[in-house]
Amino acid sequence: MGTGHYFWAIFYFTSLCSASLANNAKINFREKEKKVLDQILGAGKYDARIRPSGINGTDGPAVVRVNIFVRSISKIDDVTMEYSVQLTFREQWTDERLKFDDIQGRLKYLTLTEANRVWMPDLFFSNEKEGHFHNIIMPNVYIRIFPNGSVLYSIRISLTLACPMNLKLYPLDRQICSLRMASYGWTTNDLVFLWKEGDPVQVVKNLHLPRFTLEKFLTDYCNSKTNTGEYSCLKVDLLFKREFSYYLIQIYIPCCMLVIVSWVSFWLDQGAVPARVSLGVTTLLTMATQTSGINASLPPVSYTKAIDVWTGVCLTFVFGALLEFALVNYASRSDMHKENMKKKRRDLEQASLDAASDLLDTDSNATFAMKPLVRHPGDPLALEKLRQCEVHMQPPKRPSCCKTWLSKFPTRSKRIDVISRITFPLVFALFNLVYWSTYLFREEEDEVVLGFV
């Protein structure tokens, strides 16, 4: 008898548990979400035009915490001074009017896709030029409402932002591009933006840019005051370093090669006029074309850039090599003219000597009175002449090594070529030393001034 009672009790308990599980399985939490949404956002219960209250329900400003995730940076344009970025933008604030029962923790949050159903901060990007949302396949936006009234707004957007650049050190420069976010209509008395604590800005791993490297970024505040009030503002400064290897291969090495090629004319014979002229003109035109191509990819600015100094000096060296040949050609013609004049003078002297010898031959029978060439030792006039010779005859000066070396080349044109072979490379090497030490030092100095070290 006792065993039967135990059996029926166990059967009854099992039936109750099965019924309870069946009832729980039948609960549709999506329906519960609908009821909760209708309850908190129903007609006459929530007004999206009214901002939330301050912290702890006070009448202070609503606090909105912001964080962003940089997905990609597609380009940084030097001509238009702008950059394009795609990011996930998130805002989080508390609206106590949206609190709801989480059904013992089973409703973690409610999800909305219509931003106009709840109050939204009037944030805008102050340095934006263009921007668009992403709607493929569905709009990339959501709103999550948590049981405590916290609201999370997330959206994926693409922006083209202004980035004023200082190109004085181009292409050895670093640029700071900012992303500024501010309230459009609510003053700091009603709305305050703060960066989310912890890690407010995140960047996708393996971010690749064609000509830049993202070195660092810094978050800051940039509240602005106007005649209508003070407005809350956030900004993130992105420090980009220009990749120099591209410019080294495409600009600096070709310019060096053109300058060196222009020196080949110093080793050509001074009589090879067509070869030297064509070489000089070709290198000059190539260098001018290279300079024009570089300037076409940059905005017209009022100051001198580092690349302008480089191309200007290289163009000067190439032009100097062409002028050097003009000087050599002039000196060569001058040497030929002097040589011809000397030859004519020698011919005239030879002709006069021949005429004198003929005259002596005809008067060979004539006699001449010859004065003695050597005076006696006691002659005062001889002593005076000897003394003057001792005063004026001094040991010859030792010629310098440069003059001795240059004396090996009899013509001025050849000397100019030889001097140019040494002078041009030395001056160009000195220019390189000054150029790289100056601009690399200024690059490090600017980095310290910017405060990113």
Side-chain angles (χ1 to χ4, degrees):
M1 190 70 181
T3 304
H5 283 294
Y6 280 119
F7 174 76
W8 287 108
I10 293 173
F11 178 77
Y12 180 72
F13 179 75
T14 304
S15 300
L16 289 176
C17 290
S18 299
S20 176
L21 291 173
N23 290 332
N24 290 336
K26 291 179 181 179
I27 296 177
N28 189 341
F29 286 99
R30 305 291 79 77
E31 292 291 335
K32 291 289 185 181
E33 288 182 9
K34 179 180 181 304
K35 291 181 180 179
V36 172
L37 287 173
D38 292 338
Q39 180 182 355
I40 61 177
L41 297 177
K45 295 183 179 180
Y46 184 87
D47 192 346
R49 299 172 298 177
I50 308 301
R51 72 168 180 86
S53 57
I55 299 176
N56 298 325
T58 61
D59 196 30
V63 177
V64 178
R65 298 190 178 275
V66 176
N67 71 95
I68 59 176
F69 175 68
V70 179
R71 293 182 172 271
S72 66
I73 300 175
S74 58
K75 70 170 183 177
I76 302 176
D77 197 331
D78 298 318
V79 178
T80 58
M81 293 193 179
E82 63 186 20
Y83 71 105
S84 299
V85 60
Q86 183 185 127
L87 51 89
T88 298
F89 176 75
R90 305 185 188 98
E91 294 176 305
Q92 193 164 8
W93 67 94
T94 300
D95 193 342
E96 295 186 354
R97 297 171 295 175
L98 299 177
K99 289 183 178 180
F100 63 90
D101 183 14
D102 59 355
I103 313 177
Q104 299 178 355
R106 295 181 180 179
L107 282 179
K108 294 184 179 180
Y109 54 81
L110 303 174
T111 302
L112 296 177
T113 57
E114 299 175 358
N116 57 358
R117 297 289 300 277
V118 298
W119 175 86
M120 292 291 299
D122 61 342
L123 181 140
F124 77 105
F125 297 93
S126 58
N127 59 332
E128 174 213 354
K129 287 186 174 181
E130 294 179 356
H132 66 271
F133 302 121
H134 293 266
N135 297 318
I136 300 175
I137 299 176
M138 294 294 293
N140 298 171
V141 58
Y142 68 80
I143 298 175
R144 290 178 181 174
I145 304 176
F146 294 87
N148 62 350
S150 178
V151 180
L152 173 63
Y153 173 72
S154 177
I155 186 172
R156 186 166 73 101
I157 54 178
S158 292
L159 300 170
T160 300
L161 303 164
C163 178
M165 298 181 182
N166 186 349
L167 300 174
K168 288 184 178 181
L169 299 180
Y170 176 92
L172 301 168
D173 57 334
R174 285 179 169 87
Q175 300 297 336
I176 298 179
C177 295
S178 299
L179 174 64
R180 294 174 176 267
M181 300 157 284
S183 172
Y184 190 80
W186 298 97
T187 63
T188 52
N189 295 327
D190 298 310
L191 178 62
V192 173
F193 290 111
L194 298 176
W195 285 111
K196 183 181 178 180
E197 296 179 357
D199 195 6
V201 178
Q202 298 173 325
V203 180
V204 65
K205 294 181 180 179
N206 301 322
L207 178 66
H208 295 289
L209 295 172
R211 290 183 298 167
F212 287 88
T213 300
L214 178 61
E215 287 193 330
K216 300 177 183 178
F217 55 86
L218 177 67
T219 57
D220 201 357
Y221 296 90
C222 53
N223 291 3
S224 60
K225 290 184 178 181
T226 66
N227 55 7
T228 58
E230 182 179 0
Y231 298 90
S232 182
C233 175
L234 303 177
K235 75 170 181 176
V236 54
D237 292 329
L238 306 173
L239 176 62
F240 295 101
K241 180 181 179 181
R242 198 181 299 272
E243 288 291 341
F244 179 68
S245 58
Y246 168 81
Y247 301 93
L248 179 65
I249 297 173
Q250 297 294 326
I251 296 177
Y252 284 90
I253 292 179
C255 289
C256 282
M257 294 175 65
L258 286 173
V259 172
I260 294 173
V261 167
S262 69
W263 299 342
V264 174
S265 64
F266 304 154
W267 298 88
L268 297 178
D269 186 74
Q270 59 190 12
V273 176
R276 297 187 69 162
V277 170
S278 60
L279 180 62
V281 172
T282 302
T283 52
L284 182 63
L285 292 177
T286 306
M287 192 66 217
T289 304
Q290 180 88 345
T291 304
S292 300
I294 295 170
N295 292 330
S297 62
L298 293 173
V301 293
S302 59
Y303 47 82
T304 302
K305 304 179 288 294
I307 195 67
D308 295 335
V309 176
W310 175 264
T311 55
V313 172
C314 290
L315 189 62
T316 303
F317 271 93
V318 174
F319 184 66
L322 185 61
L323 290 182
E324 187 270 350
F325 171 66
L327 182 60
V328 166
N329 187 266
Y330 172 78
S332 176
R333 288 186 287 108
S334 178
D335 292 338
M336 291 178 62
H337 179 69
K338 288 184 178 179
E339 188 66 26
N340 293 332
M341 294 298 294
K342 288 181 180 179
K343 186 176 180 181
K344 290 181 179 180
R345 190 178 298 111
R346 285 195 300 268
D347 293 341
L348 291 174
E349 290 176 355
Q350 185 66 31
S352 62
L353 289 175
D354 292 342
S357 61
D358 293 340
L359 182 61
L360 289 175
D361 290 339
T362 55
D363 299 337
S364 57
N365 296 326
T367 57
F368 298 94
M370 303 294 293
K371 294 182 179 181
L373 296 177
V374 180
R375 295 184 180 272
H376 297 287
D379 192 352
L381 182 61
L383 293 176
E384 182 65 23
K385 292 291 184 181
L386 181 62
R387 197 176 295 113
Q388 291 179 2
C389 291
E390 290 178 354
V391 172
H392 291 287
M393 291 179 63
Q394 297 179 356
K397 294 183 179 180
R398 184 178 180 183
S400 62
C401 58
C402 293
K403 290 183 177 180
T404 304
W405 179 66
L406 289 176
S407 63
K408 297 179 181 179
F409 309 100
T411 60
R412 289 188 303 167
S413 57
K414 191 63 177 178
R415 292 175 186 174
I416 294 173
D417 270 341
V418 172
I419 293 174
S420 299
R421 294 172 190 174
I422 301 173
T423 305
F424 273 71
L426 286 179
V427 175
F428 190 67
L430 180 62
F431 161 71
N432 273 270
L433 179 63
V434 174
Y435 180 87
W436 295 113
S437 60
T438 299
Y439 282 102
L440 290 177
F441 175 75
R442 287 183 61 183
E443 181 186 11
E444 296 177 358
E445 187 179 35
D446 288 351
E447 184 180 358
V448 173
V449 172
L450 291 174
F452 282 94
V453 178

